[in-house]
Each structure stands twice: as C-alpha cells, then as structure tokens.
Amino acid sequence: MSTRLSQGGRLIDRSAQQGFSFNGKRLKGYAGDTLASALLANDQMLMGRSFKYHRPRGVIASGAEEPNALMNLGAEGKFEPNARATTTPLFDGLEAASQNHFPSLEFDVGALNTHLSRFLPAGFYYKMFIHPRPFWKHIYEPFIRQSAGLGKAPKARDVDTYEHFYAFCDVLIIGGGIAGLQAAKVAADAGLEVMLVEQDPHWGGRAPVDGTGIDGKPAQDWIDTTVAALGDMPNVTLRARCMGAGVYDHGYVLCYERLTDHAPKAAGPRHRLWRVRAKQVVTATGAIERPLSFAGNDIPGVMLAGAVRDYVVNYGVSIGDRTVVVTNNDDAYRTAIALKEAGLEVPAIIDARTGGAGALGDQAKALGIRVETGKAIAKVKGGKRVTGVGICAQAGEGSILEEIACDCVTMSGGWSPVVHLWSHCGGKLIWDDALAMFRPDGDRAPTSHDGNPFVITAGAANGALSDVLADATAQAAEVVSRCGGKTDAAAPTEANTAENAIEPIWLMPQGAAHKLRSKSWLDFQNDVKVSDVQLAAQEGFESVEHAKRYTTLGMATDQGKTSNINGLAILSKELGVDIPQVGTTTFRPPYTPISMGAIAGEARHEIFQPLRKTPMHDWHDANGAHWEPVGHWRRPYCFLRGDETPEKAVHREVLNTREKLGLLDASTLGKIIVKGPDAGKFLDMMYTNMMSNLKPGRCRYGLMCSENGFLSDDGVVARISDDTWLCHTTSGGADRIHAHMEEWLQTEWWDWKVYTANVTEQYAQVAVVGPNARKVLEKLGGMDVSADALSFMGWADGTIGGFDVRVYRISFSGELSYEIAVPANQGRAFWDALLEAGEEFGVMPYGTEALHIMRAEKGFIMIGDETDGTVIPQDLNLHWAISKKKDDFLGKRAQMRSHMADPNRWKLVGLETTDGSVLPDGAYAVGEGTNANGQRNMIGRVTSTYHSPTLGKGIAMGLVHHGPDRMGEVLDFPRVDGTVVKAKIVDPVFYDKEGAKQNV
Amino acid sequence: MSERDFDGLARIEQVTGLGMISVRGTLTDAGFQAAVVAATGVSVPDRGTVSTGAGRTVAWMSSDEILVVCAEADAKGIVDALNAGLAGTHHMVTDVSDARAVFRISGGAARDVLAKVCPVDLRPNMFKAGQFRRTRMAQVACAFWAEDETAFSLIGFRSVQDYIWDVLTTVASRDAPVDHFAS
Amino acid sequence: MLILTCPNCGETKDESELHAHGEAHITRAGPEATDEEMETYLFERVNPKGVHFERWHCSYGCGKWFHAARCTNTLEVFGTYSAQTTEPPKEIIDILDKKRPGWSWRKFGGTAQ
C-alpha cells in the first residue's frame, strides 16, 4: 500500500494539516502536498480510468507530464475538469473527483472494453463506423459521444477573475531549476533585465531530490542563496507558480501564473497571463523521464523512477513496501538508494543493460540491493494494483525466469529534454545517439525579427543531464553576448557521479511476442500500445504525423509528454529506419493546458467587449430601450412602453412618426471632415457621384465603392465651405471609411493637399422627423427653419433653443425631417429639450427598426441589407448617383468589366406578398428547371422584408433576375418548411412616390 | 475637475472640463510652429512626446497632427487663433473636446495598472516623463503620456468612456497587485 | 505575434496595434486599363515564400500606412519604410542583397528577372 512515512518530505509542513475529499471520501494531507501526493499518502493509488478501455489508472509521474491522474476539481462556479493531480496544490477544503468511469471508479462497466481490446485496435473507429452510412448520425455518433470525453464540461459560470500583464525584458528564463537560476544569475550580473518563471511553487527543480552537490554543499543551500541574491537585484523579476506556456514569433512568450489555485479563498485574480516580449528566451525546462514498454506497465503501482523518488523525498510518501526498479540507465538507481535509505524494501534492480551501472550501482549493491543485469520485465502481475513481476532476459522473448513479489514497480527508460518551448517557434532538434534523446540543435534556433536566434536552452533541457551548471553558465554567457553585454561568470562546482551510458531500450524484452506487445502501453491516457503503433506502420501510416492521428498516440490532454519518443522509436523500428528519419510530431503551445479564463483576461461580463454609447444612451436605457448591437454601438431597436411587445412598439413608432413627430438618436452616424485645396478632387474619386460641384450650404447623397466596383458605404455629404466637406457614413462604417480615405491619400495620392478628421463622436445628432418637425423647432426658436430659408437637401448653422446646432434637411424616412448636430456634451440636454417642446406635437422617440421600416417603405437601400459585398450600385438602380461626367472614381473601371455589365445580373425590385404576409428574410425565389446539382434554379432573393404599419401589409425589397422588366409578375419563395409564399414584383418605392411629404 | 474617481492599486480619475483641438499641418514648418506657440503658448512637441506649459499640453499625434489639450473655456479661442495663424497654409483645426474622454492614473502602481491592458514597454527607463504613446487599451484605441514617474494621463474616445473606466477600475482592484515595476 | 517599427511614429509596435493591408507597390489601373490590366491589378498577388513587401497600417497608433520588407518564411523584418513611394528604397534593397542574395520580387531585385 502507499502511505505517508513518519519521516521526511522536504516540501510538506506536517504541522499544517489540510482536509480534502476524493469522490466524497474525507481525507487528510499536509500543506505543501500536491493532490497526488496527498492521495498516495491515503493509499489512494487508483485515480482514474483510461480513455478507451477504461482501465484502472494510478498516477505514474509527479509533474506536468502526468497522463493518468486527471480530476474534476471543485463545484459550481469553481468547477474545473481534467486537472492533473500532480500539479494541483492541496488546500484545505479541496474537492476532487475522478473521471471517465461509470458507475464508480472501483467498478466501471466501460472496463469491459479492455476484454474487447483485441477487437478495438488502432483505427478501430475509422474502420468500424464508416458503414452503413446512415448509422453514423443515428447510432454511432450518439454512442461515441456518450462514451467519449474525460472530465465533465462545467455548467455554472466561472466565479473567478483573470487578467493579463504585458511585460518586457532582455532575457526571459523559463524554468527555475538550478540551470534557470544559474542562467538568471549570470545574465543579471551582466546587467541585463531578467525575468525568471517557474511552474512549481518552489525553486531548484530536481537537484535537491537527486542529491546534487554544489560548491561542496547540498544543492538546497546554493538554491536558497541564489534565489535570495536574485530577489535582491532590481533588474530581476522572479515569478513562481508561473509556467512558460508558449514561445511565439519575435520573442513573444505567454506565461501562465496560477495565483490562487493553491488558496482559492484568497481574493484577486485566479490566473494571470503574462504576455512577455523578450529579446532573448532561455528555456531551462529540464527533462521528462520515459516509461519502459513492457507488458502490464499500465497497472497502478507501476511508476516512473524519478516520480517515486520525488514522492519519498519531497512528500515523505512511500508508494509501496517492496519496489522493483527496472531501468536502462544509472539514474533509476538513485530511486533504489533513496527508497532503501527511507527504510523501504527494494527486492531487485532489473537493469536491461548487460554492463549495469557505474558508481551508483556499487552504492546500491553496498546497501544490499540485488542488481540483475541484462534482464527485463516479462510482465507485471496484478489488476488494480501491482502484486509482482515476472523477470526474463532482455535479449529473449519473455520466458519468465523468476517471479518477484512487489507492490510497486518503478521504471526508467531514460530522460527526454523538455524541448517543447524551444520547438514552438521553429527550433530544430537533433538525435543524440549516445544519450538516446532528441535535444535542441543550437545551430538551428528560432529566429526573431532581426533574423538572429532568440531562444537558447540550458541544462537538462539542452541534453546536459549532468554538468547542468556548466552548461547553464555557457548558454547564459551566449545570451549576454547576444544582448551586447559581457560576462566572465564561472560555473559553481557541481558534484556529479560518473554514470555508465544509457542503452536505448524501446521494447522489453527485445523479442516480445504480440501477446506481450499488446499489453505494453505507450500512451496511458489514450490507451495506445506498442502493437497499435506497429499495426499503423503495417497499414501504411509511415509518417509520424499520420501514425499519431491514426493511433491517437500523444493526442490526449498530456499531449504525449511521456509517450511520444517511445512511440516514434517503435515506429522507426517497424519501418526499419533510424529515429531521426521518423522525426517528431510538432510541438505546439501551450506546454500544458491553460484556462480559458486566463486567455480572456479581464474581458468578461460588462467589459467582455467595448460597448459604445451615444450621449443619449442613459435616457434610452431609462426609457424602455430594447437594445440592438450595431457594430460596438448599442442602439435602441425600439422603446417599449408598459408590457408592449417589440412588434407593437415598432408599429406605434412608425405610425406616430408618419402622423406626428418622431425623434431618432442618429449620433452613431459617421461624420468625417475632408478639407484642403484638393478635397473636391479627392471626393470625386471617393464617391461615384460628383461632389466637387456641390454648392456650400447644400447636401448630396453619395455612394462609395471599392476598387472592385462593389458598393461599400453610402451617406449624405454636405459642403461646409469652399475647401471643406462633411461626409456622413453608415453607423458601422465610420472608422472603416475614414481609414479608407486616409489609405488612398497616404498611399496613392500623397501629393494631394487633403486632410481628414473623423469627428463622429464630437457630435450628438438627432433626427427630428414627421409632419410636426418644423413646429417643434420653431417653438424652440433661434433660427429660420422654414422651407424657404432651409430647403430640402440644404444645411445651415445656427441656434435652436439656445443650442449651437448644425441642421441638415435630409430625410431617410420620407417625412419632413431635420437632422440636427450639437456638440456631444450638449446632446442629452438637446434631446431633453426636444422631448419637452415636442410634447404638444405628439413627440415620440423611435428606434432602428422603425427607421428601417420607414426607409424600406420609401425604397431606400440599406448598406448590409441590399448590399453584401457582391452588389454594385447599378444592381440597385442607382445609376442616377453614378456620375457620367467623371473620367474616374474608385470602382468605375471595375464596373465596366464584363460580369459587372452583364444584363443578367439580379436587380432591385419591390416585392409584395399576394396574401399580405411578410416574406422570410433571405428567402430565394425559384424559377423553372434545375441546376447541375439537381436543385431548383434561383432567380432572386429577398434583401429586406418588413410588415409595413403604414400600408398594413408585408413589403420587401429583393434582387431579381431581370427584375425591373418583370413588374407585376408573381414569384414563388419557398419557406424552409416546404410551403411557398407568393410575391408580386412591384416598384420598390411603396410610399409617397412623388416625395411630396419630405419636401414641404 | 473630475467626473468620478477610484482608489485601488492606483488612483483613477476621469478628468472633465478639458478642451481638445486636433491640428493638422506641416509640423516641421516654422510658420506652423510659430502659429502653435502663438495660439497655445506651448511649442510643437518632438516625435513621441508631449510639450507642456501654462496648464496646457500639446501631444505629437502623427507626423502631420498634434493634439492641444487645454481648459474647456479656452478651446474656442485657440481654434480661432490657430485658424488665423495658419491662414493661407494647408491645415485643419478641429475642436474635438466633446469627442474624447480623459483619465488620470496615478500612484505607485500606475505602471502596473497600465501594463495590464496596454502592450507597451512601461519600464521606467523606457517610458519616461513627457513621453507619449498612442496604442490600444484592452480592446479600444487610446493615447497616454507620463506626467511624471507615477502619473499618467490617458485619452480615449467618448463613446467608450464607460468601458475604459470599467476596465481601468477592474484591473486596478486592490486584490490584484503585481508589484512588477519598482515604485 | 510580430513586432514592426512604424517609420512614421518611430515606435516598435506589437502586431495587435497594427493592421496588415496586403501586398505593397501595386500600381493602380485606371479607367483606361484593359481587362487584363484590371485583372492583374485587382486579383493577382505574388504571395511568395521568402522576401515580401507588404503594407501595414499603424491603426492603433499614428494612423499612418507604411511598408515592410519581410521574409514570410522566417518572419525576419528587413526594414520598414514610407508608404509614399512606388518602390523599395535603396537601403532596403542593399539589406536584401546582403541578407538574401539573388532575391527577387515582382520587378524588383536580384538576378531572376
């Protein structure tokens, strides 16, 4: 059984007991524990079930590479699935539950799959579920969806907060082990600004566990001294619990700081995402131990050697009373020695190498540990827990020579440098035959904006499993030099035990038969075995990327940290090529999963996205506004009174405006001033119409097209003075059109003397609309707004009711209408004054839907409804707004291209349903015959459709093939339910065709 | 005058009563420079900086644009003076007092607060008093300058003033110290 | 995420402060253009792997457009320069000749033309 030892545990505080629960069971641990170490201390070895076969799974690692021990944590707004128990700090009150089992962790019906594993080989899903086709949707997919997935999706809204931080430094060092600390010290001593991040809460990495000596003292002494020294330096930032998550272009690095995961009751953000821009990045990310592939290596109780050592040394936790060590390298002997020194039994070290270990071997033997060389594990015995191992010759096929009873097997297949962060941005790897590892190729580093390398690796991450400090010092010196500095720093003396060479062992025993290979796990989370990768190779999946996807090797939440190298070694052997020829799969960020909250940062709730408000926003909000998003603006769709429905409110607003007086907050309309000696010439290029001959004091409706000829924006242009125009744009178009103007001025006609300014937000604008519009303005008084003084399509400056105003006599509704601009700070007061003065004239504000309906009744187009980026003005019968006098304007030449001039283009018409109903938005009209795909031919589509309160029936606009020539024809518009609406082609101007009402 | 204020990691104030004038012209032209000095009492700033004097600030917005920040009551007079001073040259003077909102972020952690939402190198040796930067604050455009080591003025658009306020006061929560910049 | 220095405001900007605007040095085809010229102008882009000239907009900054000479493969930025030019300046050409001997891009550079 696994248990807490009475002694030891350098990271735990035995005086601070922490209560927690696992699957509802109350358990106890200590401050400093991880959830994994605390569970092991409570003999909870079984921590989950695997993905495919639902096999019982115990923890195998002690860090970020853990594939098995995934937990659902917390509840409600603190719920989090797929958390690795090995990196989850224990705290008092923690609630954890295991995943992927039914009905319970101990008894899981899905485990039947393991007995069917013979029938569930690699690619099973692809092969099985493809026929018969209809079964996928109705049978296979629902079944797979039910069985798939590890943790549950959170249902409650996350109660925590998150934030970002933009940081800049000379050198960012990722990893606070002894290599990272030494690199930081060297760089900081050279005067560079250094940021050092470490994913764990403590500094120093594995060195204290491995018993490394530095400068003649235990590593911990050097670590403490160095951390203190760095902490005192003003040019150094230290961040623990902060993982380097991804390295991106031009020295951009994301670091993931977990602020309160260890203390969830603490106030403040849970995670902080550091968005670091560094001149140089040092990845001192250490190495990850590889499992060995032997039959039964997934049975709970089989663990990595380094992890078993960690649990004993760091947490005072023993995994078992009798631990068999199996290895192909010297490092695992340290585990045997550590266990023996902790008073635990090590019945044997099984060393696959015929030569065995060096000094560590002698030390183990001196402690009385039996060492078997040239041996292997034939199979592990046990179900939910290891009970023993069968030993065989590594060179053989697996005949059992001896069985050894044990309750823990600890394995080491060697160490793989954590090259992920090096590789994220294109750093290349080389295969080191002597060390049996892929390590960074320093000559092919990721390069930055200046073309020079910006990432370097140090220590174990660089393949320096010993002499770590010497390597870190050398790499740091290179970084200092790249930053233009100088250092003569020397490495501290590191006491290293001489080790014998590792021997690559990818399968144990070497000649293992299929029966054993099909029980030898590579990927523990996704249940990929040696036999699956071999099958993939046999079936022709020779590329490592294909084999990965076919077998799902390395595709689980751990992204194959423990399995990738073993898997590709098996693949290379099966293909008969060398490992470097097979290569690795692509390492992509993040290094381990980061929270969605951290990615969102502060952008949640009210500040999820910017909300643009007009000066009258608060009035709208307090007066029943039913909001509609228009870009980032919020505009009232209508104003609800009492328990009115939006439809009723819109109806009321339209009729009131047509009969009495309506007010529209038009502040969102874009307003761009264009000024200069060449402004007229410039606007003639921007608009399809002629703007240079507009008289000061007058307005003109204008169209803007892209160079492709497509209609892009529209609005009323007013000529303010001889050299100044004011261009109105659509509400969503102000920034875009301003940029569009500047782009042409800066990149094509830079010698033209024109300045522009986007003054959209300088003004509040109110449309005063309806038969009583003039009356209310005259009542407020101040300027002459009579038809004589201010005629239709004219504008004038003046005062109304004491406000400084600019009044445009333009109409988008067909009624008598004044659009009045006041400085934004006075907008609300002006609005209030209009409401008060308008009371006797039946004033009523109206929203965007009433605006839309009234413009549709008048047959006015709306950018985004009648246009969609494929429509030219000619399609909309807007020839009158396209100047024939001008040699050139943006889009002119494109509109002459054959497809644009094609008489078969669909053209704008009005549509009126024969039964008075409202046509569905976007409905298509169908014609005779079918197309090549056997679908009905389309001959038109609806672009705008409304119920017209004024006319008491459904009206619509649409684009129809030869539409204007087919007046009176009735078209069929199928609904999605199969029924058909019939609509007659009519003139798009439904209301006041002569324009008598607006021009009074 | 301040419209609203908040005390957290830094003090956040929305400052009102300011006039703002956008001036476009040839910044390097001696006539332009003289007109600006005559109208505002402040010289045209160097690239990436503000110049200040007499309670006014002039910011370098672009190679052909400056922004004059003054008392609200002075704006009209300055607009007229600039138009008079620049008459006959290609220029544009626009009163944008109502189009923008101004915030002040001050206190030891002011840089920390800004660094949570602006992708700008705010290390004290990199962003010093008098420096001016147009950038992004969370999801909207903004511009700010350092008045001194620990106080910044930030300008944003009027329509998103509530967003800017909410973002600044959220990230300046006392619960979220970073202590990244030595203060 | 790239960093580029705007030649107008002189600031080194994060990509999130900028807006990419496609290929640089495209000559506008006017009203007299043939159909073929229009097709080239509107639709034909070189989209190379390697040396490329692009337009960028300092959209959250000074509001100016500028040009960047960049390697689409390594993301190295050879330089940025004014938008008010129809061809890359000599300094940029010199840098490219040195760093990417034999480079060519449309009608500019190298031996390939």
Side-chain angles (χ1 to χ4, degrees):
Chain A
M1 62 182 287
S2 64
T3 187
R4 182 88 67 186
L5 300 169
S6 58
Q7 300 284 318
R10 58 185 274 272
L11 299 179
I12 56 167
D13 177 359
R14 289 182 190 254
S15 67
Q17 208 170 59
Q18 314 274 299
F20 71 104
S21 76
F22 176 69
N23 289 344
K25 201 158 54 173
R26 318 290 314 166
L27 301 169
K28 288 193 169 63
Y30 294 121
D33 262 326
T34 64
L35 176 55
S37 68
L39 285 169
L40 290 169
N42 286 278
D43 194 27
Q44 185 64 52
M45 168 59 77
L46 187 59
M47 294 195 196
R49 292 266 173 180
S50 64
F51 184 68
K52 187 168 165 188
Y53 302 138
H54 293 241
R55 284 176 64 89
R57 287 282 184 258
V59 68
I60 70 156
S62 57
E65 69 272 32
E66 172 60 34
N68 292 338
L70 299 180
M71 302 286 165
N72 290 319
L73 293 185
E76 303 293 323
K78 291 259 183 192
F79 179 81
E80 169 116 348
N82 297 336
R84 289 173 308 283
T86 50
T87 57
T88 300
L90 188 73
F91 55 85
D92 199 52
L94 181 149
E95 294 172 45
S98 52
Q99 303 182 157
N100 201 36
H101 52 70
F102 176 81
S104 75
L105 178 60
E106 282 69 27
F107 176 77
D108 176 56
V109 294
L112 280 171
N113 284 358
T114 192
H115 302 296
L116 300 171
S117 65
R118 198 151 60 87
F119 308 107
L120 296 172
F124 169 75
Y125 289 88
Y126 299 118
K127 290 165 183 157
M128 174 63 204
F129 295 120
I130 197 153
H131 297 296
R133 287 277 178 190
F135 273 42
W136 173 252
K137 187 169 174 191
H138 300 292
I139 297 172
Y140 299 144
E141 192 186 353
F143 168 76
I144 290 170
R145 281 198 184 280
Q146 202 185 2
S147 338
L150 293 160
K152 293 179 203 147
K155 289 200 173 77
R157 185 170 286 201
D158 188 342
V159 296
D160 284 305
T161 59
Y162 303 84
E163 68 181 23
H164 293 170
F165 197 93
Y166 295 89
F168 294 74
C169 59
D170 294 326
V171 187
L172 172 68
I173 296 161
I174 299 168
I178 57 170
L181 289 168
Q182 173 65 7
K185 190 73 175 45
V186 171
D189 282 342
L192 300 176
E193 295 205 29
V194 174
M195 185 167 169
L196 173 61
V197 298
E198 163 56 42
Q199 62 183 356
D200 286 335
H202 47 268
W203 302 97
R206 295 198 56 81
V209 179
D210 291 351
T212 312
I214 303 173
D215 284 344
K217 285 187 236 165
Q220 193 63 50
D221 291 4
W222 180 86
I223 293 164
D224 293 344
T225 310
T226 308
V227 170
L230 289 169
D232 287 341
M233 298 177 82
N235 55 331
V236 175
T237 299
L238 299 174
R239 290 275 159 183
R241 302 186 198 277
C242 187
M243 176 185 77
V247 176
Y248 303 84
D249 306 321
H250 295 186
Y252 184 62
V253 182
L254 289 183
C255 300
Y256 176 62
E257 186 177 18
R258 297 164 72 194
L259 294 161
T260 64
D261 279 351
H262 63 291
K265 288 191 183 104
R270 178 173 171 231
H271 300 148
R272 179 179 295 133
L273 193 66
W274 288 77
R275 307 171 72 163
V276 183
R277 193 68 79 164
K279 284 187 196 150
Q280 289 288 317
V281 177
V282 180
T283 64
T285 43
I288 286 175
E289 198 166 25
R290 293 189 296 258
L292 284 165
S293 300
F294 49 83
N297 64 349
D298 72 322
I299 294 170
V302 180
M303 291 174 66
L304 293 168
V308 169
R309 194 152 83 235
D310 282 343
Y311 287 114
V312 168
V313 177
N314 288 338
Y315 307 104
V317 167
S318 111
I319 306 302
D321 298 345
R322 291 169 59 80
T323 301
V324 168
V325 176
V326 54
T327 185
N328 66 347
N329 64 81
D330 281 18
D331 184 62
Y333 284 70
R334 292 195 173 93
T335 301
I337 293 161
L339 292 173
K340 197 76 185 172
E341 283 174 348
L344 297 161
E345 279 304 307
V346 180
I349 296 174
I350 313 295
D351 192 330
R353 300 171 295 179
T354 45
L360 287 164
D362 298 338
Q363 209 181 325
K365 284 177 199 152
L367 286 167
I369 300 172
R370 171 185 168 198
V371 176
E372 288 286 336
T373 57
K375 297 292 191 301
I377 289 183
K379 65 179 290 192
V380 179
K381 299 176 71 182
K384 287 176 194 163
R385 188 68 208 251
V386 170
T387 57
V389 290
I391 306 300
C392 64
Q394 168 61 18
E397 293 178 4
S399 307
I400 293 177
L401 306 171
E402 180 187 351
E403 286 191 359
I404 302 177
C406 62
D407 55 1
C408 175
V409 176
T410 180
M411 59 188 166
S412 178
W415 292 78
S416 297
V418 174
V419 296
H420 300 64
L421 289 133
W422 163 267
S423 302
H424 282 169
C425 203
K428 298 290 184 286
L429 304 176
I430 42 173
W431 176 255
D432 188 320
D433 248 337
L435 296 171
M437 60 166 68
F438 275 108
R439 60 177 172 80
D441 180 353
D443 292 335
R444 293 183 295 161
T447 53
S448 194
H449 62 101
D450 54 6
N452 295 320
F454 76 97
V455 184
I456 207 163
T457 55
N462 196 28
L465 297 180
S466 60
D467 296 323
V468 169
L469 293 172
D471 185 65
T473 307
Q475 304 302 332
E478 168 63 18
V479 162
V480 169
S481 141
R482 286 181 190 174
C483 289
K486 279 204 176 103
T487 176
D488 51 5
T493 326
E494 187 179 335
N496 284 297
T497 316
E499 295 183 17
N500 281 358
I502 184 176
E503 200 170 295
I505 300 290
W506 306 114
L507 183 59
M508 188 171 255
Q510 166 193 303
H514 182 269
K515 194 177 169 197
L516 295 180
R517 283 184 274 120
S518 65
K519 294 287 177 204
S520 300
W521 260 255
L522 293 167
D523 184 322
F524 297 93
Q525 192 176 134
N526 266 359
D527 278 324
V528 182
K529 299 163 296 179
V530 170
S531 55
D532 294 318
V533 172
Q534 290 172 329
L535 180 65
Q538 285 157 21
E539 293 186 357
F541 294 90
E542 296 183 3
S543 150
V544 65
E545 297 283 6
H546 290 160
K548 164 181 165 173
R549 281 152 186 85
Y550 191 58
T551 60
T552 73
L553 178 83
M555 286 169 67
T557 61
D558 62 328
Q559 289 287 290
K561 290 189 176 61
T562 52
S563 62
N564 278 342
I565 304 297
N566 285 350
L568 68 90
I570 295 287
L571 184 64
S572 79
K573 190 150 187 257
E574 196 64 25
L575 297 173
V577 298
D578 293 336
I579 288 175
Q581 275 176 266
V582 172
T584 63
T585 52
T586 309
F587 295 94
R588 291 194 179 85
Y591 175 59
T592 67
I594 65 174
S595 64
M596 294 301 289
I599 295 168
E602 82 293 332
R604 322 179 59 205
H605 306 303
E606 291 296 311
I607 51 173
F608 172 66
Q609 62 171 199
L611 204 148
R612 298 178 74 182
K613 299 176 179 176
T614 74
M616 289 81 101
H617 184 95
D618 290 348
W619 187 93
H620 304 332
D621 207 35
N623 287 275
H626 184 69
W627 294 107
E628 174 183 48
V630 179
H632 282 161
W633 291 104
R634 285 291 177 282
R635 299 189 74 184
Y637 175 91
C638 61
F639 295 88
L640 298 175
R641 293 190 171 182
D643 53 3
E644 211 173 32
T645 62
E647 292 71 28
K648 283 232 162 73
V650 168
H651 191 89
R652 169 177 55 72
E653 289 171 9
V654 169
L655 292 180
N656 187 75
T657 304
R658 291 244 182 264
E659 289 160 13
K660 294 174 191 161
L661 180 58
L663 292 187
L664 176 79
D665 178 0
S667 307
T668 59
L669 276 186
K671 305 159 202 86
I672 299 166
I673 297 176
V674 180
K675 178 177 189 284
D678 295 315
K681 177 166 81 167
F682 172 65
L683 290 177
D684 282 347
M685 287 302 295
M686 289 279 110
Y687 286 92
T688 62
N689 330 51
M690 189 80 94
M691 290 299 172
S692 55
N693 65 359
L694 185 63
K695 300 269 181 294
R698 301 301 297 168
C699 301
R700 184 169 288 161
Y701 173 72
L703 303 175
M704 274 194 192
C705 293
S706 64
E707 270 288 68
N708 298 53
F710 299 122
L711 188 50
S712 154
D713 207 75
D714 68 349
V716 170
V717 177
R719 187 161 187 179
I720 305 302
S721 68
D722 202 36
D723 72 346
T724 307
W725 281 255
L726 186 141
C727 305
H728 286 108
T729 75
T730 56
S731 289
D735 293 338
R736 178 173 57 88
I737 296 301
H738 182 236
H740 172 66
M741 288 181 171
E742 280 290 329
E743 180 181 1
W744 282 95
L745 284 172
Q746 290 178 33
T747 66
E748 189 70 24
W749 305 308
W750 58 79
D751 52 336
W752 293 12
K753 288 190 156 123
V754 182
Y755 286 132
T756 71
N758 183 354
V759 293
T760 302
E761 303 205 7
Q762 172 67 16
Y763 299 100
Q765 200 145 317
V766 183
V768 182
V769 183
N772 296 339
R774 187 173 287 133
K775 289 179 199 159
V776 69
L777 300 182
E778 283 171 348
K779 179 181 172 191
L780 284 166
M783 65 187 283
D784 189 351
V785 292
S786 68
D788 290 340
L790 184 56
S791 61
F792 187 54
M793 296 306 276
W795 69 269
D797 283 339
T799 61
I800 288 178
F803 293 90
D804 293 326
V805 295
R806 175 169 288 164
V807 184
Y808 305 90
R809 256 210 73 187
I810 53 181
S811 178
F812 198 43
S813 57
E815 299 299 327
L816 172 64
S817 165
Y818 297 84
E819 289 204 11
I820 304 172
V822 296
N825 287 343
Q826 300 169 48
R828 173 64 194 276
F830 183 61
W831 177 263
D832 289 345
L834 283 166
L835 282 171
E836 195 187 326
E839 201 168 342
E840 64 175 291
F841 305 113
V843 70
M844 212 180 256
Y846 65 94
T848 51
E849 187 64 359
L851 159 90
H852 277 108
I853 291 174
M854 288 190 281
R855 67 91 195 169
E857 289 172 345
K858 276 292 288 176
F860 293 143
I861 62 132
M862 178 67 81
I863 299 292
D865 284 338
E866 275 62 47
T867 69
D868 64 357
T870 71
V871 171
I872 58 175
Q874 291 85 341
D875 298 339
L876 304 177
N877 312 318
L878 293 168
H879 303 82
W880 57 270
I882 305 167
S883 170
K884 290 179 190 60
K885 286 186 247 167
K886 293 195 292 186
D887 291 336
D888 196 7
F889 57 80
L890 296 185
K892 181 182 171 85
R893 177 62 185 84
Q895 287 165 2
M896 289 152 57
R897 300 176 69 234
S898 58
H899 180 62
M900 300 295 193
D902 187 348
N904 286 314
R905 287 183 72 85
W906 294 359
K907 292 222 169 15
L908 188 75
V909 291
L911 296 164
E912 222 176 82
T913 53
T914 52
D915 61 0
S917 66
V918 178
L919 272 168
D921 205 354
Y924 274 80
V926 292
E928 295 301 316
T930 54
N931 66 14
N933 296 324
Q935 299 154 330
R936 292 284 296 275
N937 281 328
M938 318 281 195
I939 56 168
R941 64 182 167 88
V942 174
T943 55
S944 292
T945 174
Y946 306 95
H947 174 77
S948 162
T950 315
L951 305 170
K953 61 182 177 187
I955 62 166
M957 285 193 266
L959 292 162
V960 175
H961 186 222
H962 293 154
D965 303 330
R966 300 166 70 168
M967 287 294 156
E969 211 175 297
V970 175
L971 303 181
D972 285 352
F973 289 86
R975 291 195 182 95
V976 282
D977 65 3
T979 61
V980 171
V981 194
K982 288 187 177 298
K984 190 167 72 174
I985 299 178
V986 296
D987 185 342
V989 185
F990 293 90
Y991 174 77
D992 187 27
K993 286 188 205 293
E994 304 73 35
K997 295 203 64 162
Q998 67 193 16
N999 197 4
V1000 291
Chain B
M1 281 180 281
S2 90
E3 165 109 358
R4 40 187 167 178
D5 51 62
F6 169 89
D7 281 302
L9 293 178
R11 180 170 172 78
I12 318 281
E13 298 158 89
Q14 182 167 359
V15 186
T16 53
L18 294 177
M20 276 163 275
I21 302 150
S22 158
V23 189
R24 294 191 68 176
T26 310
L27 268 54
T28 49
D29 182 71
F32 181 91
Q33 294 174 352
V36 171
V37 172
T40 65
V42 185
S43 59
V44 172
D46 292 336
R47 185 163 87 161
T49 68
V50 293
S51 49
T52 52
R56 290 169 183 165
T57 302
V58 179
W60 190 95
M61 297 290 278
S62 189
S63 51
D64 58 1
E65 185 182 356
I66 54 169
L67 183 76
V68 179
V69 183
C70 58
E72 194 172 15
D74 295 350
K76 194 170 181 319
I78 293 175
V79 167
D80 293 344
L82 283 165
N83 273 325
L86 295 167
T89 68
H90 175 40
H91 72 281
M92 177 152 95
V93 180
T94 317
D95 186 339
V96 292
S97 306
D98 291 33
R100 294 182 163 98
V102 181
F103 301 86
R104 192 162 185 278
I105 301 130
S106 59
R111 285 175 195 267
D112 283 341
V113 169
L114 275 180
K116 290 184 185 190
V117 285
C118 298
V120 176
D121 189 346
L122 286 160
R123 285 177 287 177
N125 56 346
M126 298 301 289
F127 201 87
K128 300 174 185 155
Q131 267 179 267
F132 176 81
R133 181 69 144 78
R134 294 178 75 177
T135 181
R136 172 173 73 73
M137 196 221 69
Q139 299 173 59
V140 296
C142 78
F144 60 77
W145 68 90
E147 294 172 16
D148 55 40
E149 279 294 296
T150 60
F152 295 80
S153 277
L154 181 144
I155 300 181
F157 283 106
R158 173 201 185 88
S159 66
V160 289
Q161 58 186 319
D162 286 353
Y163 171 80
I164 294 173
W165 175 260
D166 290 345
V167 167
L168 287 175
T169 55
T170 297
V171 301
S173 160
R174 281 190 201 281
D175 294 337
V178 187
D179 298 325
H180 184 65
F181 295 108
S183 55
Chain C
M1 187 131 67
L2 311 184
I3 42 178
L4 292 167
T5 301
C6 170
N8 183 62
C9 62
E11 305 276 6
T12 299
K13 299 274 180 176
D14 191 281
E15 191 178 338
S16 66
E17 298 174 87
L18 304 169
H19 201 290
H21 269 264
E23 208 158 298
H25 304 307
I26 291 166
T27 308
R28 180 167 185 262
E32 308 303 326
T34 63
D35 279 356
E36 289 70 31
E37 285 164 347
M38 275 311 279
E39 186 182 349
T40 304
Y41 166 49
L42 291 177
F43 306 117
E44 285 184 8
R45 300 293 181 265
V46 287
N47 189 30
K49 179 176 181 181
V51 173
H52 195 33
F53 296 88
E54 297 172 325
R55 292 187 318 148
W56 287 79
H57 180 205
C58 193
S59 52
Y60 278 98
C62 67
K64 297 302 185 200
W65 268 256
F66 61 91
H67 285 132
R70 203 167 67 85
C71 176
T72 59
N73 189 29
T74 65
L75 308 186
E76 178 171 359
V77 180
F78 304 111
T80 56
Y81 54 97
S82 165
Q84 282 93 53
T85 175
T86 53
E87 57 187 57
K90 183 166 182 305
E91 310 88 83
I92 299 286
I93 303 280
D94 288 347
I95 291 169
L96 286 169
D97 285 345
K98 195 168 149 227
K99 290 199 161 186
R100 297 288 193 277
W103 71 279
S104 74
W105 185 87
R106 284 216 231 117
K107 64 180 180 182
F108 303 115
T111 50
Q113 53 176 309

